[in-house]
Amino acid sequence: MMHEGCHIKLAQLLVCLVCTLQVVSGLVTEEHAARAQELLRENLHATLAHWHGLRANGGQKLTMQNFFRTANKHMHHPAVSFWGIKNNKVFQLNKDGELRNSSNAMIAEGRPNRGAAETMKSSLWLAIEDAASHGVSMPDMVFIYNVADDPMCGLRLDCSDGKFAPPISLMGLDPSAVPQPPPPRKPRLFPDILVPIFKNLGYSRQTTVSLAQHHQNVLNRVGGSPLAWSERNRIRAESVPWQDKVPQMFFRGTRYCPTVPLRDKSRSICPRVHLTNLSIHHQEQLNIMITGLPPPYLQELKDHNWQARRTDVMAEWSKFKYVASIDGIGGSNRVLALFHLGSVVVKQHKSPYIEWFYNSIKPGVHFETVFKEGPDGTKHFDDAVDLVDKLRTDDAYAKHLADNGLGFARNYLTLEVLLVYLRELLLAYKDLFEDMDEYISRLGDTGSSALFMKQAQLWDTDWRTVAAS
Ligand SMILES: *[C@@H]1O[C@H](CO)[C@@H](O)[C@H](O)[C@H]1NC(C)=O
Ligand SMILES: *[C@@H]1O[C@H](CO)[C@@H](O)[C@H](O)[C@H]1NC(C)=O
């Protein structure tokens, strides 16, 4: 049933595109939409099946009462916000009773922190409002947006029985990676709806992979010469030919370590710290450095005369042949950008963290891995050195991985494909609810935070009967 709904809406989108089709770059075409469908099939449909499965017996969809119940429980979590879209404009219903109707006001508020407000919240906000200019219109709806580095379901929210509404989140978790309760207790599942991250598509003050310059709203927030800045912060795979790339594994980042308790205790090393120390001892193969390295390692740094330079501009990372994504607090959500560099992407073998498109990329095809496991399941935390040696020896294999990664990025990890994916995701989310359309039709253009608060406080009272004070 879900499939049919999606296809009808997609068909309508395409008809509308065909009649307005012009030679405008950035306009979504049938081909973009088809690619988005592939990604949706491989990544989103299994999660949606979980939520559809909850009504398999009762046959009931979720209602806005479930939504308000979830809002009531999470109203005060700094990383959770309640967003609405009406006529392709975004608004945020705030717990202080005020409404945010501009992404700048939302950034100024700085929740959960300035960085996340800027990269994770404002980038999605701008992408939604910009979609129409690419020929994609977003549904009128409300949703729960979780910008924490981990999912809500299975950690802070019980998503196993349909009492609560699903959160839209940045980062998922692999259920096999966390401790599971013994049967007959229910397994911990993490069916958060994973949303494309737009921060590297020109909608934040971070590196863009897009051919277009950064969004005007972002340029307005950059001092000095915004256009020169935008050029400097654009990844161009062609900028360094393969044979000129330095054959080292490169990583720069902050000293973040995973916070979720993992099943495999041996994983409780901090991957970024461990690999930095490994790099200190293998400077020929590895070029890995983090800020905030703790004291014992600082001594190692001195003893081994390791003078790693900071390289802040991600666009320049393409000069390295192998670029790593190493888990921080959660996943590092830089994989999308790394694939555009034209270098070999290196991920952690069986990283427990999952982003929205990870089901579509395969080790040995699109990327290589470190921390591989032996036959007895023990992890090799020092295998990054061997991997570099192997890739140096088999340069054709390395180039094959880099080309596949870049090909995938240019076909699938583009603004046009992400916008269609987002639209379909939002339509599917809305379709989980019986009465969201009715609710939305009673909202003004930006909704009312005060009424929303009241409805969330009285979540077991029919929302239609709750009046603003
Ligand atoms: C947007 O927010 C501002 C400031 O909070 C307010 O003055 C304005 O009326 C709001 N606009 C709409 C359309 O609600
Ligand atoms: C860094 O790595 C070296 C070599 O493997 C090891 O001997 C040393 O104990 C490590 N340093 C710290 C502070 O763990």
Side-chain angles (χ1 to χ4, degrees), residues 274 277-278 281-282 296-297 300 382:
H274 183 85
N277 186 33
L278 194 66
H281 292 266
H282 298 274
Y297 299 96
E300 299 262 359
D382 295 349

Side-chain angles (χ1 to χ4, degrees), residues 39 63-64 68 101 181 256 341 369 380 388 425 445 468:
L39 291 181
T63 70
M64 288 305 294
F68 288 122
N101 59 22
Y256 290 137
L341 289 169
T369 58
H380 299 303
V388 169
L425 177 155
D445 267 358

Side-chain angles (χ1 to χ4, degrees), residues 98-101 445-446:
E98 278 185 43
L99 177 82
R100 298 290 173 263
N101 59 22
D445 267 358
T446 58

Side-chain angles (χ1 to χ4, degrees), residues 8 54 169 210 243 352 354:
I8 289 164
L54 294 181
S169 300
S210 162
Q243 66 275 12
I354 299 166

